[in-house]
Amino acid sequence: MELSKTFDPKAAEERWYQRWIELGYFTADPQKPGEAFSIVIPPPNVTGQLHLGHALNVTLQDVIVRVRRMQGRNTLWVPGTDHAGIATQNVVERELGKEKLTRHSLGRAAFEQRVWAWRDAYGGRILHQLRKLGASCDWTREHFTLDPDLSRAVNEVFVRLYRDGLIYRDRRLINWCPRCETALSDLEVEHRETDGQLYYIAYPLTDGSGAITVATTRPETMLGDTAVAVSPDDARFSAMVGKRVRLPLVGREIEVIADAAVDPKFGTGAVKITPAHDFNDFAIGRRHGLAEISVMDTRGRMSAEAGVYRGLSIKECREAVVNDLKAQGLLEKIEPHRHAVGACSRCDTAVEPLLSFQWFVKVAPLAGKAIAAVRNGETRFHPRFWENTYFAWLENVHDWCISRQLWWGHRIPAYRCSRCEHFTIAADRPARCEKCESTELVQEEDVLDTWFSSALWPFSTLGWPNETLDLKKYYPTSLLITGFDIIFFWVARMMMMGLYCLGEVPFRDVYITPLVRDQHGRKMTKSRGNVVDPLVIMDDYGTDAVRFTLAQLAVQGRDLILAQDRLAASKAFANKIWNAARFVMMNLSGAPEPIPAVEVSALDLAERWILDRLSDAIAGVTEAIDAYQFNTAALRLYQFIWHEFCDWYIELAKEPLKAGGERQAAARYVLVRGLDQLLRLLHPFMPFISEEIWQTIRPYIDERDLAPHLAIAKFPQAGNEKLSEEEKVAMSHCIETTEAINSLRSLMGFHPGQRVTATIRPTGAGAEDIAREFAAWMTYAMTMAKAEKLEVLESGAERPRSMVTTVLEWGEVSVKAPDGFDFDKARRALRKKLDDVSTHHEQHLRRLGNPEFQAKAAAEMKEQIEQRAEELGSQRKVLEAQLQLLGGAE
Ligand SMILES: [Zn+2]
Ligand SMILES: [Zn+2]
C-alpha cells in the first residue's frame, strides 16, 4: 500500500466518518464491560448554526471521548437538540410575517404544526454540522427536548415538585416582553445603561398643607400609584408619614408611608409606589398591603385602569402625562438621568414588569444541595474559579418563573376545573377535578421555560423516570463541557434537578470552555464583521487542522485568540505527518506483514532515545488530558511528532535503513512502532488524517487482536524503554551540539548542503568521558549538522583559530569559517543590521511610551505597534548574540 503524494482532507473526512458510523463504533452498550465514561452534549438550539463556540466545545468533547473509548472505557456521548421555545417560535413567527400571517390568525394547533414542519426541515442542520466536525456521538441515542419520552420526564418532575410544595402558582410581578408576549426569567433580561430622564412631580397633600415631590424615571406609571414612600430615618419627611396625598391626573387618595427600602439620596427622598409596575415597589406594596393596579396590558398599551390614557402606547402615554402635569403646574423639573433598562434577550424589546399569574419553582431548598455538592467535591469545576460564580448565584437565587405564554414548548401539566377553578396537577390528563370531581377540565395554556427541560437533560436522555440500563450504567455522567454564559441558566439547574430527582449529581466534572476571540483579541460579532465561520475554515484548512488548532489554543481560564496563521500552522503540521508517514512506508519493502518487536539490547542509542521520548510523550499527553489541559496535550504531541520524531529520528534512521541487515530491521521496527503509537495519540485530536495513515501502516503492526480501525484501537501506554541517566545526558549534549553548529553555520552563511568542520572542547567535569564513551552521539551530531569532521579536543587545549565558538554549559562548540571568510566584513554587516533594528525598535518603544499616542490611538493600532516592537526586540537580541559570537574570532 502507498500513500498519495498529498493528503486530501475532504475525501478522508467523508470516507472515515461514514465507515465508523456504519460499523457502530460510537454506539454504546450498557451491558458490555468497561468502566463507564459518559457525557451529554450541551444540546444546541434546533434553530442553531454551527459557530466557533460550538466547534470548540464539540472538539474538546470529542478529544476526551475518543481518548476514553480507546482506553477501553464503556463510552457514551449523547447528542441532541433543544426545542428552544422562544427562539424557535420567533423564527417561525418571522416566516409567518412574510406571508402576512400571525400565530394568532393561524391558531395554536396549526401554528404548532408549522413549527414542527420547520423543525423537520431545518432542525437537523446543526447536527449534520457536528458530524462534519468528526463528533463521535452515539447517533442511535439522539434526543430532542420535545420527544415524547423527554416530555414525560418533564411532566413527572413537575408533578413531583408540585407535590413537594416546590412549585406554586401566584399572581406576582414578573418580567414581561410586550413583543414576545410572554413572561421571562431574570436571566432572560439584559440590562443596559441608558440615558433617560428624572421627572419631579408634586403630589398635593389632602390637608392643604402643601405638597410632597417625588422623583421618577417613569411618569406614565403614576396612574397606577397606590402610595408615596419615604425612608423612616428621613427627618425631612417625618411629619408627613401617615398623611394622604391626592394623586394628580387620577384623583385617587393615597397614603405617605415609611419603608426602609427607600433610598433617601435618590431624587427628593420621596418616591411614588407603583406595585404593579416596579419590582421594588411590588415588594414594598406587599409589606404594606397596598393595592396593585395594573395600568398596562400584555402588549405594552395602556389598559382601562389608565382612564383617559387607555389605548396609548407607553411612549405616547408618557408624553401626554407630562404635558398634563405641566398644564396643572405639578411638574417641577426634568433632569437627565442615566439608568439601567431591561431588554428581552431574544428580541431586544424593552421589558415591562407585569403583574400576572405565573408558575414558580421555589429554588432555595434545591439550591442548598447543589451548593453542598460542589463544596464537598462531588462535582468539580475546571478551572476552579468558576465555582465562585456558581456559589454567588445560587446563594442569592430568586424563585424561578417557569411559565411562558408561548405555544412552542412543554404545555404545563396543570388542569383547571371550569366549575371550582382548582388546578389538578398530573403527568397524564386526569379524568376529574381532584377537588369537586367535575370532568370539565381545561389544560393550562402556558408552556414551560425551555431551561426546565434542559435541566433534566443528563437523565431524561438516559430514560428516566424508567429505571433503564442506560441510567444505571451512565448516570452520573462523567463530564460536562460547556460555556460560562450558561452556568446559571443550565449548569446550576441541572445540578439542582439531578440531585432532586436522582439524589446524585448529574456530572463529576464541569469544564468551562474559553471564549473565542479574533486575532486582535476582540469579541466576534456580526456588526464588526469579524465572525469566523467554522465550516469555512474547515473547508480551507481541513477539519483536522481546525480541531487541532482549537485544542491547542484552549488554555483553561483564558480567552482563546484565533489567528489564521495558527490554522495554517496546523495544516502544515498535518502535511509534516503525512510526509513522515510516506517516508516510513517507502522504507518498508516487501509484502506487508507484521514486523516483530526487536530486543531493546539490539537497538542503537537513537532508537532507544526515540522510544524513550515516545513514552514521555504518551505519559505527558495522558496526564494533560486527565487534567483537561487540552493545550498542554496538543503541544506535547506537536513537539514529539515534529521535532523528535520527524526532525530527529527520521533523519537518524536514514543511515541504518541503507545499511541493511539487523540495523535496518531495527530501524524499520522503531519507525513502524513510533508511527503507529503517535497516530494513536494523535487520533483524538486529528481523527481523519490519523485513520487514513494508520490504515496503510496497519498490516505492519505486530499486535494480537489488532483493531480494524484506529477509532477503536488501544490508546498507547508508556513503555519501559527508558534511557539511562548517562545516555540521557549524552543525547542532550548531542542535540545542543547540533543546534550550536547549525546556528554557527547560518551565521557564517554556509549553504544548506555544505559540509563543515567543527570541534568540541569539553570544559565541565565528565563531559569528555561522555563524549568518548558514547561515540554514537558524535556521529548523530555530524549527520544532523552536516559536519564532515567533528573533533573532541583535550579540555586544556587552546581554542582553535579561524573558528567561531559558542559557549555551552559543559563545553565549547566551534565551527571553522569558510575559506577566505572576512571576519571584519561580517562583523560590520552584522553591526549595521543591529543598528538598523535597534533604531527601529527604539522608535516603536518611544511611540508606545508617548501618553498622547496611548490616549488617542485605536486599540488595534496599539496592538500592531506592540506586536512589532516585540518582534524587533527579539531580532535585536539574536543579532546581539551573533555579534558576540563573532566578537573575538579572527
Ligand atoms: Zn421579546
Ligand atoms: Zn373542581
Side-chain angles (χ1 to χ4, degrees):
M1 265 193 272
E2 214 184 298
L3 290 169
S4 61
K5 249 187 133 162
T6 52
F7 174 55
D8 175 1
K10 272 194 197 89
E13 288 165 20
E14 273 167 37
R15 174 165 52 243
W16 297 118
Y17 198 82
Q18 220 177 345
R19 263 326 257 146
W20 298 327
I21 295 287
E22 279 164 13
L23 293 164
Y25 290 161
F26 308 149
T27 309
D29 180 351
Q31 286 177 298
K32 279 203 176 144
E35 187 194 340
F37 180 83
S38 55
I39 183 164
V40 290
I41 204 165
N45 284 356
V46 51
T47 51
Q49 271 271 42
L50 192 77
H51 57 62
L52 266 179
H54 296 126
L56 169 65
N57 185 296
V58 167
T59 295
L60 300 185
Q61 289 178 77
D62 197 46
V63 167
I64 195 141
V65 162
R66 284 181 186 267
V67 168
R68 296 291 179 249
R69 185 181 294 118
M70 292 172 76
Q71 284 175 335
R73 298 276 290 270
N74 187 325
T75 304
L76 167 63
W77 184 9
V78 178
T81 45
D82 193 287
H83 67 280
I86 197 166
T88 312
Q89 177 159 324
N90 282 354
V91 167
V92 177
E93 281 196 278
R94 270 201 295 278
E95 271 200 353
L96 288 177
K98 286 181 207 150
E99 301 164 31
K100 304 263 183 285
L101 290 170
T102 67
R103 69 176 156 117
H104 299 284
S105 68
L106 220 58
R108 184 163 186 154
F111 179 75
E112 277 182 52
Q113 263 177 22
R114 236 346 247 261
V115 187
W116 277 106
W118 186 92
R119 181 255 174 181
D120 292 341
Y122 305 108
R125 234 178 358 189
I126 182 105
L127 298 180
H128 178 74
Q129 293 164 340
L130 299 186
R131 288 176 170 92
K132 273 212 71 177
L133 254 179
S136 62
C137 301
D138 182 350
W139 297 105
T140 66
R141 283 175 168 84
E142 182 189 323
H143 288 285
F144 179 52
T145 45
L146 276 177
D147 282 345
D149 46 342
L150 269 66
S151 301
R152 175 145 180 257
V154 165
N155 285 354
E156 183 69 30
V157 173
F158 190 97
V159 170
R160 289 191 190 189
L161 286 167
Y162 181 81
R163 293 208 178 125
D164 288 345
L166 294 172
I167 279 185
Y168 61 92
R169 183 172 181 269
D170 192 14
R171 185 167 186 260
R172 288 176 43 174
L173 205 58
I174 42 89
N175 298 296
W176 182 269
C177 174
R179 204 226 53 93
C180 300
E181 287 186 67
T182 178
L184 302 171
S185 72
D186 293 349
L187 289 174
E188 288 166 304
V189 180
E190 286 173 4
H191 296 278
R192 283 188 213 122
E193 286 293 312
T194 313
D195 285 319
Q197 287 172 315
L198 197 57
Y199 301 81
Y200 287 77
I201 309 168
Y203 285 18
L205 289 151
T206 53
D207 64 3
S209 64
I212 187 163
T213 300
V214 300
T216 179
T217 58
R218 304 209 52 192
E220 68 282 6
T221 64
M222 68 169 290
L223 304 171
D225 284 1
T226 53
V228 167
V230 297
S231 162
D233 307 324
D234 196 336
R236 294 173 295 176
F237 298 109
S238 49
M240 295 191 193
V241 174
K243 286 193 176 185
R244 298 178 81 77
V245 296
R246 185 169 303 280
L247 184 61
L249 309 183
V250 179
R252 185 162 58 237
E253 277 189 23
I254 57 178
E255 202 183 316
V256 179
I257 59 170
D259 192 286
V262 177
D263 174 9
K265 290 198 266 316
F266 178 79
T268 60
V271 292
K272 61 199 249 340
I273 299 298
T274 325
H277 294 284
D278 181 276
F279 286 98
N280 291 324
D281 293 5
F282 178 77
I284 293 175
R286 286 265 161 125
R287 279 200 285 278
H288 295 267
L290 300 177
E292 294 160 355
I293 300 174
S294 193
V295 294
M296 279 170 215
D297 67 13
T298 54
R299 296 190 185 200
R301 297 225 156 230
M302 303 313 288
S303 69
E305 293 283 357
V308 297
Y309 302 99
R310 173 184 188 165
L312 298 183
S313 73
I314 293 167
K315 198 166 158 249
E316 290 163 349
C317 182
R318 178 175 301 180
E319 273 171 31
V321 163
V322 168
N323 283 335
D324 291 351
L325 287 170
K326 261 188 206 156
Q328 296 187 18
L330 295 173
L331 186 69
E332 289 189 357
K333 59 174 173 174
I334 304 176
E335 283 177 349
H337 181 70
R338 211 167 153 72
H339 62 126
V341 172
C344 171
S345 61
R346 285 293 162 200
C347 76
D348 222 29
T349 304
V351 165
E352 283 295 330
L354 184 85
L355 197 60
S356 64
F357 273 104
Q358 302 288 346
W359 296 87
F360 296 88
V361 171
K362 210 180 274 178
V363 182
L366 301 168
K369 282 183 185 163
I371 291 170
V374 173
R375 287 231 187 270
N376 65 27
E378 283 170 64
T379 295
R380 298 164 296 259
F381 278 75
H382 309 267
R384 190 74 191 273
F385 63 78
W386 286 114
E387 290 180 2
N388 296 328
T389 309
Y390 170 86
F391 292 139
W393 186 70
L394 280 175
E395 279 160 4
N396 297 293
V397 73
H398 297 286
D399 283 359
W400 174 17
C401 174
I402 49 170
S403 42
R404 295 289 180 276
Q405 289 62 49
L406 303 173
W407 288 352
W408 178 242
H410 299 96
R411 203 157 157 182
I412 291 179
Y415 301 82
R416 182 205 291 270
C417 172
S418 306
R419 200 190 297 163
C420 80
E421 297 280 295
H422 175 77
F423 276 99
T424 301
I425 310 297
D428 298 306
R429 186 184 182 85
R432 306 173 175 282
C433 167
E434 63 184 356
K435 207 166 175 190
C436 76
E437 301 266 305
S438 160
T439 54
E440 287 167 47
L441 296 175
V442 182
Q443 186 172 4
E444 169 67 272
E445 294 279 322
D446 294 354
V447 300
L448 288 164
D449 180 2
T450 285
W451 295 99
F452 192 92
S453 51
S454 331
L456 319 181
W457 185 252
F459 51 91
S460 62
T461 54
L462 296 177
W464 189 92
N466 294 332
E467 285 173 22
T468 58
L469 288 173
D470 274 7
L471 198 62
K472 229 173 125 189
K473 180 83 183 176
Y474 302 115
Y475 190 91
T477 63
S478 315
L479 171 67
L480 177 77
I481 296 188
T482 192
F484 68 93
D485 51 333
I486 51 178
I487 291 180
F488 307 144
F489 277 108
W490 196 44
V491 181
R493 286 167 178 167
M494 282 191 284
M495 286 290 289
M496 293 192 277
M497 290 304 189
L499 285 160
Y500 173 72
C501 294
L502 288 116
E504 265 192 289
V505 294
F507 22 74
R508 297 289 177 209
D509 287 299
V510 179
Y511 173 92
I512 301 294
T513 49
L515 189 70
V516 183
R517 293 176 179 273
D518 75 0
Q519 69 224 60
H520 304 296
R522 299 173 311 181
K523 240 179 144 163
M524 293 188 183
T525 59
K526 268 191 198 146
S527 55
R528 278 207 187 96
N530 61 346
V531 177
V532 174
D533 181 346
L535 295 167
V536 171
I537 54 175
M538 281 153 68
D539 262 355
D540 290 351
Y541 298 95
T543 297
D544 285 324
V546 171
R547 289 172 57 115
F548 190 80
T549 306
L550 291 173
Q552 188 187 30
L553 296 177
V555 183
Q556 275 194 22
R558 254 202 269 154
D559 289 347
L560 188 158
I561 309 285
L562 184 72
Q564 304 265 336
D565 58 350
R566 299 306 291 261
L567 291 163
S570 295
K571 190 179 174 186
F573 181 46
N575 287 337
K576 182 98 176 171
I577 299 163
W578 188 259
N579 289 333
R582 274 171 54 80
F583 172 84
V584 174
M585 293 309 297
M586 279 186 298
N587 282 286
L588 300 175
S589 58
E593 57 181 44
I595 297 181
V598 175
E599 280 293 315
V600 178
S601 56
L603 297 177
D604 282 342
L605 176 61
E607 282 144 5
R608 277 178 291 121
W609 171 78
I610 194 66
L611 293 178
D612 173 83
R613 294 290 79 207
L614 173 64
S615 275
D616 185 80
I618 292 170
V621 170
T622 307
E623 202 178 298
I625 291 284
D626 289 347
Y628 308 118
Q629 285 162 355
F630 297 96
N631 58 311
T632 309
L635 187 66
R636 182 69 190 91
L637 203 47
Y638 184 90
Q639 278 171 340
F640 174 73
I641 296 176
W642 192 296
H643 298 297
E644 295 167 345
F645 191 76
C646 296
D647 283 354
W648 274 84
Y649 184 65
I650 285 193
E651 290 308 313
L652 293 179
K654 285 177 180 169
E655 192 266 329
L657 283 173
K658 270 190 213 124
E662 272 178 27
R663 295 193 55 225
Q664 183 191 49
R668 279 182 178 163
Y669 159 68
V670 172
L671 281 171
V672 167
R673 166 124 175 248
L675 184 59
D676 165 42
Q677 299 277 296
L678 77 82
L679 289 172
R680 294 185 199 219
L681 272 186
L682 182 70
H683 180 73
F685 296 86
M686 298 183 129
F688 301 109
I689 190 172
S690 55
E691 183 76 86
E692 180 95 357
I693 296 173
W694 198 76
Q695 288 302 324
T696 60
I697 191 151
R698 188 179 171 280
Y700 299 92
I701 300 169
D702 188 21
E703 181 178 314
R704 199 192 296 190
D705 300 325
L706 182 62
H709 291 93
L710 183 54
I712 54 161
K714 288 196 186 87
F715 200 70
Q717 286 189 323
N720 47 16
E721 294 93 344
K722 295 271 185 280
L723 290 184
S724 70
E725 278 313 306
E726 281 168 333
E727 286 173 323
K728 273 187 191 160
V729 173
M731 277 310 289
S732 84
H733 285 180
C734 172
I735 291 168
E736 283 176 44
T737 302
T738 305
E739 283 168 353
I741 297 174
N742 280 336
S743 69
L744 291 170
R745 285 177 65 100
S746 84
L747 174 65
M748 288 182 279
F750 281 97
H751 298 299
Q754 215 174 333
R755 303 259 151 198
V756 296
T757 300
T759 61
I760 300 172
R761 195 166 69 117
T763 51
E768 209 169 330
D769 295 343
I770 286 169
R772 304 220 188 286
E773 190 171 341
F774 293 93
W777 77 260
M778 301 279 292
T779 38
Y780 300 158
M782 285 173 75
T783 308
M784 298 302 290
K786 299 201 176 62
E788 58 189 349
K789 200 169 155 205
L790 180 59
E791 194 184 351
V792 181
L793 305 176
E794 299 290 327
S795 42
E798 238 179 81
R799 188 179 283 173
R801 295 174 68 83
S802 297
M803 284 195 141
V804 184
T805 301
T806 295
V807 179
L808 301 172
E809 244 173 63
W810 50 272
E812 294 177 359
V813 175
S814 309
V815 171
K816 191 173 185 306
D819 287 340
F821 186 74
D822 187 340
F823 283 94
D824 282 333
K825 196 176 155 199
R827 269 193 290 269
R828 278 197 306 274
L830 210 53
R831 164 66 61 194
K832 166 103 179 44
K833 213 164 154 193
L834 176 61
D835 286 347
D836 283 354
V837 170
S838 302
T839 313
H840 236 83
H841 187 215
E842 301 290 341
Q843 276 170 357
H844 278 71
L845 290 181
R846 267 202 302 282
R847 205 157 165 206
L848 285 171
N850 181 350
E852 202 179 335
F853 172 78
Q854 283 295 342
K856 286 191 183 150
E860 250 176 276
M861 173 65 111
K862 276 190 227 168
E863 271 166 39
Q864 269 179 22
I865 301 281
E866 268 165 31
Q867 212 179 346
R868 186 75 188 119
E870 223 170 273
E871 285 165 13
L872 288 166
S874 48
Q875 270 184 36
R876 199 171 162 177
K877 271 194 201 128
V878 171
L879 290 168
E880 275 164 359
Q882 288 184 341
L883 199 60
Q884 210 173 0
L885 290 179
L886 278 184
E890 52 195 81

